[in-house]
């Protein structure tokens, strides 16, 4: 934000220069440098050009400062934007089918699906024009007793956390903590892959909290 204020301050200086009579500026600050100030005085056209240049510089600096401010504001995800994106991502996760992997060889891992859903939710809220979309990040918070996965979602500044829990529909955790498909027969003896959906729940706050 400090660069924004610097640009605006410099723009204000140039705007002030453009508003002041350039002839007065010459006779106040430069005339003493010449033996014959009257002969060295710029023409009316030169004075006009100086004003135009100062005005253009002021507009450019104001515009640059506004762009920097907009970029910073648009790239910062506030609490409402985080909540909206998380709820959108939950809806995406619940409505799309995924490949379930059950058995002793591999536990369910849906990190890619969670990241993809958050990315799609972010893009759906980003402006059509302007800086790059703001971001969310999901950190794995471990597995749950029912064979699910917890993910703590925050903005890029690690603010406004939400906990997303993802469980494969039909996934059953046995007493040892290993999982298998409820209808897959000998799923616990190997690798079983099938199409399924996800049961997703969410609550405000970190998963560890």
């Amino acid at each position: 934000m400090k660069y924004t204020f610097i640009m605006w301050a410099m723009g204000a200086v140039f705007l002030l220069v453009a508003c002041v009579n350039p002839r007065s500026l010459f006779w106040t600050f430069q005339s003493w440098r010449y033996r014959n100030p009257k002969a060295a005085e710029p023409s009316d056209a030169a004075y006009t050009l100086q004003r135009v240049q100062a005005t253009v510089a002021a507009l450019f600096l104001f515009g640059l400062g506004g762009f920097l401010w907009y970029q910073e504001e648009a790239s910062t995800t506030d609490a409402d934007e985080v909540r909206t994106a998380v709820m959108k991502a939950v809806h995406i996760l619940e409505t799309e089918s995924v490949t379930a992997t059950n058995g002793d060889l591999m536990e369910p891992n849906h990190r890619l699906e969670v990241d993809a859903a958050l990315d799609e939710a972010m893009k759906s809220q980003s402006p059509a024009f302007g800086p790059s979309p703001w971001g969310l990040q999901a950190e794995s918070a471990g597995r749950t007793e029912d064979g699910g996965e917890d993910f703590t979602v925050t903005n890029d500044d690690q603010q406004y956390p939400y906990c997303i829990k993802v469980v494969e529909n039909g996934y059953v955790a046995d007493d040892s903590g290993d999982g298998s498909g409820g209808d897959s027969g000998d799923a616990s003896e190997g690798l079983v892959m099938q199409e399924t959906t996800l049961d997703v729940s969410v609550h405000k706050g970190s998963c560890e909290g």
Side-chain angles (χ1 to χ4, degrees):
M1 185 66 73
K2 68 176 182 179
Y3 295 109
T4 298
F5 291 128
I6 290 174
M7 295 298 104
W8 285 346
M10 293 175 62
V13 171
F14 277 100
L15 184 61
L16 180 62
V17 170
C19 293
V20 175
N21 188 338
R23 181 172 280 104
S24 298
L25 292 176
F26 172 80
W27 285 100
T28 301
F29 298 105
Q30 299 184 42
S31 61
W32 61 272
R33 298 164 53 190
Y34 305 99
R35 286 179 179 270
N36 186 359
K38 189 69 176 177
E41 183 181 5
S43 64
D44 290 342
Y47 282 141
T48 301
L49 181 60
Q50 289 176 11
R51 276 188 161 177
V52 170
Q53 290 175 334
T55 301
V56 171
L59 292 176
F60 173 77
L61 290 169
F62 284 139
L64 181 59
F67 174 77
L68 293 175
W69 174 82
Y70 177 64
Q71 187 177 47
E72 182 173 348
E73 288 297 311
S75 62
T76 301
T77 316
D78 62 28
D80 289 337
E81 290 171 330
V82 172
R83 180 184 181 280
T84 301
V86 167
M87 296 307 171
K88 174 71 173 178
V90 169
H91 175 73
I92 294 171
L93 289 169
E94 288 182 328
T95 55
E96 293 187 355
S97 61
V98 297
T99 300
T101 305
N102 296 330
D104 292 337
L105 298 181
M106 183 180 295
E107 291 182 321
N109 187 341
H110 297 293
R111 176 61 183 267
L112 292 179
E113 285 87 351
V114 171
D115 287 340
L118 289 172
D119 185 61
E120 183 177 341
M122 289 187 297
K123 288 180 179 179
S124 69
Q125 293 184 212
S126 64
F129 303 98
S132 301
W134 42 264
L136 296 179
Q137 57 183 0
E139 295 295 334
S140 176
R143 309 199 66 84
T144 60
E145 294 181 356
D146 56 357
E149 298 174 87
D150 280 341
F151 297 92
T152 297
V153 179
T154 63
N155 66 3
D156 286 337
D157 297 324
Q158 297 185 338
Q159 298 173 316
Y160 318 120
Y162 279 82
C163 179
I164 294 179
K165 177 183 175 182
V166 179
V167 183
E168 288 182 2
N169 285 319
Y171 186 86
V172 179
D174 58 30
D175 294 338
S176 64
D178 296 327
S180 63
D183 299 323
S184 58
D186 296 332
S188 61
E189 297 178 0
L191 187 63
V192 177
M193 302 182 69
Q194 60 186 17
E195 289 297 311
T196 187
T197 56
L198 298 176
D199 182 22
V200 186
S201 60
V202 60
H203 66 80
K204 188 174 182 179
S206 172
C207 296
E208 292 84 358

